[in-house]
Amino acid sequence: MQTDLQARFVVVGAGYAGLAAARALALRHPDERIVLLDAGQPAESSSGRNSGFMLDLPYAKISSGSDPAVRDWQVRLLAHGMQHLRAAIEAGNFDCGWQPNGHYKAATTAVGARNLEALTQTLDAHGVHYRRLAPSEITDELGTPRYTAALWLRNCTVVQPAELMHGLVGTLPPNVDLHTDSPVSGLRRRQGYELQVGPHCVRARQVLLCVGAELPAFGHAGSRQLTVFTYAGLTRALTDGEAAGLGSATDWGVTPVERLEATSRKVGGRRYMLRLGFSYKSELAPEQVQAMLQTGLRERYPGLPADAFEHVWGGAVGMTRNDVPIVRQLAEGLHAVAGCNASGILKMTALGSLLAEYAAGQHSPLLAETLARSRPGFIPPEPIRRLAFEWSLRRMRRELAEHQT
C-alpha cells in the first residue's frame, strides 16, 4: 500500500475466507470500494499450502457419532462454499487443476478399520455412494500395503491450491483494491476504524478480519483458538518405474481415519504428495521436517528414493477445541472468521461469504445457523495449553504406534 485510503469495507487477509468475503461484498455493493489487505503475497500463506482436497460431504471427516443436526449444517455449509467457488471459477474462466476424482478414506490400524466400518453405516443411512476395497485392490490402486481397510467415495474434488488462489486473486471484481505485502500493524476505533499499514492509514466504516490463525494477534479469540503447524512434501517427477509403484490409478487422494495418519495424493500421474506431522505454535527446523517426511515415504513406498522430495513446506492451521469455527461480530462494524480446523477450502470460502453477508446486514437461514453453532470451547492459557497439547499429541502417537504394531 503506497498511500492513505478510505473505504466502506476493509477485508484483512487474502486467504479463502478473505477472498470470498471481498468478492461477495463487491458483488453486493458494485458502487463501493472494497479494500483487501494481505501481509504477504497471494498463495504464499497457508491457503496455498494445503493438500487441495475439497470434500463436499462431511461424513468422511466427522465422527459417525456426531449430532445429525451438526452434520446437516455442515452439508449445507460445504454446499454453499462449493457454489460460491464454482461461480468464481466459471466467471473467471481459469484453470486450477480441478478434478472431481473422489477420494479414498483409509485406515492403517484395526481400530481405524472398525471406525471405517462405523462410517459405512452413516453413509448407508444417508444414501451416500461408496466402494469398499479388498486388500488386493488397495495394493493395486494405491501401490502400498500400508492400509488395512479403505473406502472410495466420489464426493471429493481436488485442486492445485496455489493455482486456485492465483485464479481467485486475478479475477476479483474491479471494485476490489488488493494490496499485498501490506501487513496491518494497528487497528483502532475512531469514527469507524483506522488501520495502520506501514506509514499509511486506511479508514473504514467496517472491517472484516479473515486472518485465520493470526486472529489472536489482533487481540481476539486468544482463548478459543490455538495454532498448529502441519508439513508436506511433493516429489520430483518420478520415472516410469517409480510412478508405477504408486498404483494403477492415474491420480488419487487419500485422507486417513486416524487423526495422526498422513494425507497423500498422486498428482499428475508422476508426483507423490505427503502431508504428515504436527508441531505446536512454531515451525520445526527444515532438517526435522525433511527427516520426518523421508521416514513417512519409506513406510509407504520403500521403493522410492529417500531424496525424492523436491519441495517441502509447512503451514499454520487455526484449531478450536470442539472443531467449530469462529464467526462473530467483535464490535460494531468489526467482524471476524477463523478456526478452519484443517478443513479450509470449501468451509472457509463459505464462512467468508457468510461473514460478508453478516457485515452487510443481510441474514440468511444458513448465516443464522452458522452463528448459532460457531461457539468454540475455552482453551486454557499457557503453560497449561502447551502441556495439554503435547500430552494429547504423545497419547495419540502412542496409540497409533501400538495399534499399527
Side-chain angles (χ1 to χ4, degrees):
M1 201 174 85
Q2 300 296 321
T3 185
D4 292 350
L5 297 173
Q6 187 162 345
R8 177 178 174 184
F9 296 101
V10 171
V11 179
V12 183
Y16 292 112
L19 289 171
R23 186 180 301 273
L25 287 171
L27 295 177
R28 280 191 174 91
H29 305 280
D31 297 326
E32 294 280 359
R33 183 185 201 183
I34 314 298
V35 173
L36 176 58
L37 303 172
D38 196 86
Q41 285 287 324
E44 286 294 325
S45 66
S46 297
S47 296
R49 301 182 184 196
N50 65 51
S51 301
F53 286 83
M54 301 193 300
L55 281 70
D56 57 3
L57 283 179
Y59 307 121
K61 289 186 71 70
I62 296 175
S63 163
S64 59
S66 295
D67 183 348
V70 172
R71 288 200 300 262
D72 291 344
W73 163 62
Q74 289 272 358
V75 169
R76 291 189 288 274
L77 188 66
L78 296 176
H80 182 74
M82 181 66 83
Q83 181 182 18
H84 185 98
L85 206 54
R86 279 184 181 277
I89 292 171
E90 290 173 3
N93 191 30
F94 60 85
D95 180 32
C96 58
W98 184 285
Q99 294 181 324
N101 289 344
H103 83 298
Y104 295 89
K105 191 73 176 176
T108 62
T109 66
V111 172
R114 289 197 293 272
N115 290 338
L116 201 62
E117 187 61 33
L119 173 62
T120 64
Q121 299 175 19
T122 301
L123 298 174
D124 289 338
H126 289 82
V128 178
H129 171 76
Y130 63 90
R131 176 169 60 89
R132 191 192 304 269
L133 280 74
S136 60
E137 291 175 311
I138 297 175
T139 304
D140 173 66
E141 294 178 31
L142 302 179
T144 176
R146 170 90 176 170
Y147 304 109
T148 59
L151 306 175
W152 179 83
L153 301 98
R154 66 162 55 102
N155 297 96
C156 177
T157 297
V158 293
V159 294
Q160 209 287 7
E163 285 186 344
L164 174 59
M165 289 294 294
H166 282 296
L168 292 172
V169 166
T171 58
L172 285 167
N175 56 325
V176 176
D177 291 343
L178 170 62
H179 299 271
T180 58
D181 290 327
S182 301
V184 175
S185 57
L187 172 63
R188 60 182 177 178
R189 192 170 180 179
R190 178 179 292 180
Q191 294 181 337
Y193 289 91
E194 292 183 355
L195 296 87
Q196 194 70 34
V197 182
H200 304 293
C201 178
V202 186
R203 293 177 176 82
R205 287 164 54 187
Q206 300 209 54
V207 176
L208 285 72
L209 297 176
C210 302
V211 293
E214 294 297 321
L215 185 57
F218 286 80
H220 300 282
S223 64
R224 305 292 166 176
Q225 178 178 249
L226 56 79
T227 301
V228 174
F229 284 82
T230 66
Y231 305 93
L234 181 70
T235 69
R236 57 170 167 76
L238 302 174
T239 66
D240 289 346
E242 291 169 338
L246 296 179
S248 59
T250 302
D251 280 12
W252 49 254
V254 175
T255 60
V257 177
E258 297 89 354
R259 289 182 72 97
L260 293 187
E261 249 299 323
T263 299
S264 57
R265 284 180 60 182
K266 183 180 179 182
V267 183
R270 286 193 174 275
R271 292 181 185 264
Y272 176 64
M273 192 217 73
L274 179 66
R275 180 178 175 183
L276 178 68
F278 297 87
S279 66
Y280 172 66
K281 209 169 184 177
S282 60
E283 287 193 79
L284 298 175
E287 58 270 18
Q288 289 178 278
V289 178
Q290 189 82 25
M292 178 174 61
L293 290 169
Q294 287 174 348
T295 298
L297 182 64
R298 284 195 303 270
E299 291 173 346
R300 290 157 182 82
Y301 298 97
L304 292 181
D307 62 353
F309 285 115
E310 185 175 32
H311 305 283
V312 171
W313 66 93
V317 181
M319 306 291 288
T320 61
R321 187 169 181 175
N322 49 345
D323 290 335
V324 298
I326 299 166
V327 184
R328 62 176 61 169
Q329 181 176 10
L330 303 172
E332 183 180 355
L334 182 63
H335 297 77
V337 60
C340 79
N341 290 289
S343 181
I345 300 180
L346 292 184
K347 183 160 67 175
M348 297 311 287
T349 296
L351 293 176
S353 172
L354 290 174
L355 193 72
E357 180 182 315
Y358 193 15
Q362 300 169 339
H363 299 281
S364 66
L366 181 58
L367 173 60
E369 186 176 15
T370 299
L371 293 174
R373 296 196 181 280
S374 300
R375 300 182 184 276
F378 174 76
I379 301 176
E382 300 289 8
I384 298 173
R385 175 181 295 203
R386 176 181 288 276
L387 292 172
F389 177 84
E390 291 177 349
W391 176 85
S392 178
L393 198 58
R394 285 195 300 270
R395 177 178 58 81
M396 287 190 288
R397 282 173 177 159
R398 185 175 62 251
E399 290 176 352
L400 182 62
E402 289 172 353
H403 291 312
Q404 287 174 338
T405 301

